[in-house]
């Protein structure tokens, strides 16, 4: 698809699509045109925004809104926005799958935000690819689309022809990413400054809360998970955990990993780091004291584990997210 003036970005109005994201992204892209249009004669580039809706069950989606209705052409990018409620069911997503696949086959880019990834994944195009969605939907998404390599730590994954963004407000990140691609970094940064938003580079794990898998059906492992939650993972000795489960150590390790997707060490680290985040946000304890409170005797080890899981060192996390 051509990237000559104008570059069209289409937004899909499927049932329960979050209109605030659709309109917000439209405004973001239109704002960028204040910088781009005066240069369009020389650069040949500006942004055209269109909205697409399926008017009847038999019809294909059609353009129902257009910022440049006098222009011909088709979208270079089609974006599936977040859902206002729960992620779209297969029945809701199915009518759009062939249309999205044809757009992709013709050379177009597909993108999704938050639960919009469920509509995009129904096309099968994400199979074998790395994608993200809101961290709250991790287990549900993996259950429905096991062939997709899901990475909910990342806020946005730009895989060239397929782009997925995490949380519901990640439409700002996606919009800026598209501006960077089509209009260049200068216009992207100018737009971000006007809107007082960070340029792309955030990660979803800065904001996500560890949500352990509890619906796996293994009562012995669930018993251990509840005990770890109650005791804040202060005692994580393998023998102790196996004893609580009533299983032999090797059997316990195997079943724990199968049920939770993690080793006991990784699981307990995430519980401890979750507690540490609360201390860093809502207390004045030093980082060393926080480390001690959550079960680390070596502050250096705590800092290393915290940065690996959260993506920021404890001090920087506190500066960014401390309450008051």
């Amino acid at each position: 698809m051509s990237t000559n003036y104008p570059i069209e970005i289409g937004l899909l109005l499927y049932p329960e699509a979050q209109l605030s994201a659709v309109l917000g992204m439209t405004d973001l892209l239109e704002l960028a045109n204040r910088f781009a249009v005066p240069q369009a004669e020389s650069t040949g580039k500006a942004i055209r925004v269109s909205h697409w809706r399926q008017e009847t069950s038999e019809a294909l989606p059609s353009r129902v809104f257009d910022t440049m209705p006098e222009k011909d052409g088709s979208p270079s990018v089609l974006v599936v926005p977040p859902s206002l409620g729960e992620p779209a069911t297969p029945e809701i997503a199915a009518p759009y799958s062939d249309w999205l696949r044809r757009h992709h086959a013709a050379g177009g880019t597909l993108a999704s935000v938050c639960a919009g990834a469920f509509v995009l994944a129904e096309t099968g195009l994400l199979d074998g690819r790395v994608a993200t969605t809101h961290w709250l939907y991790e287990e549900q998404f993996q259950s429905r689309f096991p062939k997709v390599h899901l990475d909910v730590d990342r806020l946005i994954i730009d895989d060239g022809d397929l782009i997925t963004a995490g949380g519901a407000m990640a439409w700002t990140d996606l919009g800026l990413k598209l501006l960077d691609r089509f209009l260049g970094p200068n216009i992207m940064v100018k737009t971000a400054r006007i809107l007082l938003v960070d340029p792309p580079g955030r990660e979803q794990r800065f904001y996500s809360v560890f949500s352990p898998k509890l619906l796996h059906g293994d009562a012995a492992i669930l018993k251990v998970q509840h005990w770890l939650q109650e005791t804040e993972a202060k005692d994580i000795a393998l023998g102790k955990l196996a004893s609580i489960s009533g299983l032999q150590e090797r059997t316990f390790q195997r079943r724990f990993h199968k049920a939770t997707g993690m080793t006991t060490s990784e699981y307990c680290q995430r519980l401890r780091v979750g507690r540490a985040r609360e201390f860093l946000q809502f207390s004045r304890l030093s980082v060393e004291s926080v480390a001690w409170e959550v079960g680390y005797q070596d502050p250096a080890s705590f800092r290393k584990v915290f940065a690996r899981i959260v993506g920021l060192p404890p001090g920087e996390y506190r500066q960014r997210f401390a309450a008051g």
Side-chain angles (χ1 to χ4, degrees):
M1 297 209 172
S2 173
T3 56
N4 290 331
Y5 174 81
I7 300 148
E8 184 175 349
I9 296 174
L11 305 171
L12 178 60
L13 300 175
Y14 64 96
E16 292 293 305
Q18 187 175 315
L19 294 182
S20 61
V22 173
L23 298 177
M25 193 165 178
T26 300
D27 287 346
L28 182 150
L29 297 171
E30 278 287 271
L31 177 62
N33 273 340
R34 295 185 184 181
F35 307 115
V37 169
Q39 305 174 30
E41 292 299 322
S42 59
T43 64
K45 293 182 179 181
I47 295 291
R48 173 187 185 180
V49 185
S50 56
H51 299 173
W52 297 73
R53 178 185 287 124
Q54 186 183 37
E55 300 291 3
T56 66
S57 58
E58 296 82 15
L60 293 174
S62 57
R63 189 184 273 109
V64 295
F65 171 81
D66 194 342
T67 58
M68 298 182 183
E70 72 284 359
K71 300 290 184 180
D72 295 326
S74 59
S76 296
V77 182
L78 282 175
V79 177
V80 186
S83 171
L84 189 61
E86 288 296 303
T89 63
E91 293 73 23
I92 289 176
Y96 306 99
S97 293
D98 285 344
W99 183 66
L100 292 170
R101 280 193 291 264
R102 284 200 294 271
H103 174 80
H104 182 261
T109 296
L110 299 177
S112 67
V113 181
C114 193
F118 285 75
V119 177
L120 183 52
E122 285 290 343
T123 66
L125 294 170
L126 289 177
D127 289 357
R129 306 283 286 270
V130 181
T132 191
T133 185
H134 196 293
W135 56 269
L136 277 175
Y137 300 137
E138 179 180 13
E139 192 169 353
Q140 185 178 351
F141 188 94
Q142 289 184 324
S143 176
R144 275 179 59 178
F145 309 107
K147 295 181 181 179
V148 181
H149 304 307
L150 191 65
D151 185 355
V152 296
D153 282 344
R154 297 168 65 183
L155 188 64
I156 189 164
I157 295 176
D158 184 352
D159 211 13
D161 56 331
L162 298 169
I163 309 173
T164 52
M169 290 299 294
W171 59 262
T172 59
D173 300 83
L174 176 60
L176 294 174
K177 175 72 71 173
L178 294 174
L179 291 180
D180 190 27
R181 175 184 292 194
F182 292 118
L183 301 183
N186 288 338
I187 288 179
M188 182 272 287
V189 170
K190 286 180 181 178
T191 305
R193 284 176 180 166
I194 292 294
L195 295 175
L196 300 180
V197 296
D198 291 336
R202 296 183 297 153
E203 293 191 38
Q204 191 164 198
R205 59 180 172 164
F206 296 171
Y207 310 94
S208 63
V209 177
F210 176 47
S211 182
K213 296 180 180 179
L214 301 173
L215 301 177
H216 45 70
D218 191 326
I221 301 306
L222 186 60
K223 183 179 179 181
V224 173
Q225 289 178 275
H226 287 324
W227 183 83
L228 286 170
Q229 196 73 40
E230 291 168 6
T231 61
E232 298 180 350
K234 293 291 179 65
D235 185 352
I236 62 174
L238 180 59
K240 176 70 172 180
L241 301 182
S243 175
I244 292 170
S245 73
L247 302 171
Q248 295 294 322
E249 287 188 10
R250 290 184 63 183
T251 302
F252 167 71
Q253 287 179 296
R254 175 177 54 80
R255 284 172 55 174
F256 190 93
H257 191 276
K258 180 179 179 181
T260 67
M262 300 179 185
T263 65
T264 56
S265 176
E266 178 67 14
Y267 186 93
C268 293
Q269 285 176 349
R270 288 182 177 271
L271 282 179
R272 288 177 167 186
V273 165
R275 181 65 175 145
R277 289 167 76 149
E278 294 179 10
F279 279 120
L280 292 168
Q281 285 181 270
F282 303 112
S283 83
R284 296 185 178 182
L285 291 176
S286 67
V287 172
E288 290 76 13
S289 296
V290 170
W292 179 263
E293 287 290 335
V294 301
Y296 288 91
Q297 296 182 350
D298 180 4
S301 296
F302 165 70
R303 286 186 171 91
K304 185 176 181 180
V305 171
F306 189 97
R308 177 177 60 81
I309 291 175
V310 179
L312 295 170
E316 187 175 341
Y317 181 86
R318 167 171 271 167
Q319 288 177 354
R320 186 175 295 200
F321 297 107

